[in-house]
Amino acid sequence: MFKKITALLLAIAVFTGCVGISEVASAKEFKTQSSPVVDSKNKVELKSNKEKRVAPIVARIIVSAAGYAVKKLGKKVADDVWPVVKKKLDDLLEKAEDISIKGPGGGERVFAIFDKNKEIFRLDAKLLKKPDGYYLWVHYHITPDMSEHHDIAEIYMGKNKPAGW
């Protein structure tokens, strides 16, 4: 079951453009190797007969983040906000050493990314009720000031409250 879910998430990630084919291939190579060596930058060094390859764990985090975004926001909304989020994550995760991800919370959180158990990025979505209907305010928080809101989009959701909100 886990393999099917992973394959589905990878397919969604490639289809929505959140990861490239090379990142997915690197993540698959990481999974199939029997004795990876982890270096200080939290990358896995893979030894092959032809050449050494480095498969970043970042690819797994990106795929997970894309899955959480589609799950919480829906594909249409995720398509609108993902390019902005992906660019921020690419820049931020290059510097990370010990990364992990936490999925949707009970409130606004779509996902949060941690480095050494300290939150470094959080994507939030808040449902706003205005006179003409409901809007989804999508924004992110990033280090060093996690209290500051960085707007991505305010997306009209319709006159009726969307399901699940």
Side-chain angles (χ1 to χ4, degrees):
M1 180 71 155
F2 179 74
K3 287 182 181 181
K4 288 181 181 179
I5 292 171
T6 304
L8 178 62
L9 282 175
L10 285 173
I12 290 170
V14 171
F15 178 75
T16 60
C18 65
V19 296
I21 299 297
S22 62
E23 290 174 271
V24 172
S26 295
K28 284 183 179 176
E29 286 178 30
F30 167 77
K31 186 178 172 186
T32 60
Q33 293 294 322
S34 58
S35 58
V37 178
V38 179
D39 71 7
S40 62
K41 292 281 186 186
N42 206 20
K43 292 184 178 179
V44 179
E45 182 178 304
L46 303 172
K47 296 180 180 179
S48 71
N49 294 338
K50 294 182 181 179
E51 63 184 319
K52 285 185 177 181
R53 294 186 184 180
V54 176
I57 294 176
V58 170
R60 288 184 175 190
I61 296 294
I62 296 285
V63 169
S64 295
Y68 291 136
V70 170
K71 180 180 177 182
K72 178 98 176 187
L73 303 176
K75 183 169 174 7
K76 180 181 180 282
V77 175
D79 284 348
D80 292 341
V81 301
W82 187 254
V84 175
V85 173
K86 172 79 165 75
K87 183 175 179 352
K88 290 294 176 190
L89 289 180
D90 285 344
D91 297 340
L92 185 66
L93 295 179
E94 271 183 19
K95 303 168 193 144
E97 294 179 19
D98 183 20
I99 56 175
S100 60
I101 188 167
K102 190 181 271 189
E108 298 178 8
R109 185 178 73 211
V110 176
F111 65 84
I113 296 184
F114 298 84
D115 184 18
K116 296 181 184 173
N117 294 323
K118 182 181 178 212
E119 189 175 47
I120 59 171
F121 182 91
R122 183 175 69 245
L123 180 65
D124 287 340
K126 182 175 185 173
L127 188 65
L128 304 174
K129 184 173 179 108
K130 295 186 177 186
D132 61 335
Y134 288 90
Y135 288 80
L136 196 58
W137 173 41
V138 183
H139 59 280
Y140 65 90
H141 305 268
I142 194 167
T143 57
D145 185 4
M146 291 297 289
S147 65
E148 187 177 345
H149 292 81
H150 300 273
D151 294 343
I152 297 175
E154 198 169 283
I155 301 164
Y156 181 70
M157 301 299 285
K159 294 235 180 242
N160 298 320
K161 186 175 182 179
W165 290 91

